[in-house]
Structures are given as structure tokens and as C-alpha cells.
Amino acid sequence: MKKLLIITLILSIVSVVFMVFNFAASTDIYRDYVGTAIVSGQIIDNVGKLPEWTTCKGEWQLLRIDLIVRFIFMLLVTVVLAKLIRSHKVRSNHQ
């Protein structure tokens, strides 16, 4: 159980760091991303002239990693809480 708690704690710290990166990446995407609505509505003839950075590939990848880290963290928290509740019930039944 102690090992699971340590892993969960480490993953929570990583999750907080990725939360900050998520905010930064979302802000960059909001400012720099050239989405399909913009392409189809305004500059369809100039799509090939757009610089590569306008796709925000790195930012989108960071958001995907953040989602995976958060999902794993939430699963671990659920497992830890379930184990703690179960061990608490066992202890309270013995008293």
C-alpha cells in the first residue's frame, strides 16, 4: 500500500506540472492555431503558405500527454481510496 501511495503522490505532482503546461499550451493554441474554420472561411487559397508552427503540433501533443497523465492519476486515486475504505471497514469491524 505504501508503494501505491508514493506512486500516486509522484503522479499527482506530475499532474500539477502538466496542468500548468496545459494552460500554456491551450493559450498558444488559442493564439496561434489555424483551425479548419479559419482555413475554410478566409484563407483557403493560402493554406500552403502558412508556416508549420500554425498547426501547434507540440501543443496538441502536450495536451494529449496531460490527458493520459490525469486519467492514470484519477485511476490510481480511485484505487487508493477504495483500498483505504476497505481497510478502514476491516479495522472498524475488529474494534
Side-chain angles (χ1 to χ4, degrees), residues 37-46:
I38 294 171
V39 171
S40 64
Q42 298 173 1
I43 56 172
I44 191 112
D45 297 330
N46 296 319

Side-chain angles (χ1 to χ4, degrees), residues 10-89:
I10 291 169
L11 198 55
S12 72
I13 294 167
V14 171
S15 183
V16 168
V17 170
F18 270 102
M19 185 173 56
V20 173
F21 288 152
N22 182 310
F23 177 77
S26 298
T27 302
D28 280 352
I29 289 169
Y30 177 76
R31 284 193 330 233
D32 300 336
Y33 183 65
V34 179
T36 55
I38 294 171
V39 171
S40 64
Q42 298 173 1
I43 56 172
I44 191 112
D45 297 330
N46 296 319
V47 172
K49 297 177 185 175
L50 292 171
E52 179 65 26
W53 58 264
T54 58
T55 61
C56 298
K57 287 181 182 178
E59 288 86 347
W60 284 112
Q61 185 65 29
L62 187 73
L63 292 178
R64 283 185 206 98
I65 293 169
D66 178 51
L67 178 66
I68 292 167
V69 168
R70 285 188 200 206
F71 183 74
I72 294 169
F73 173 63
M74 290 299 155
L75 285 176
L76 276 174
V77 166
T78 303
V79 168
V80 167
L81 289 175
K83 285 185 178 233
L84 287 172
I85 289 169
R86 197 173 316 131
S87 70
H88 180 71
K89 284 182 181 179

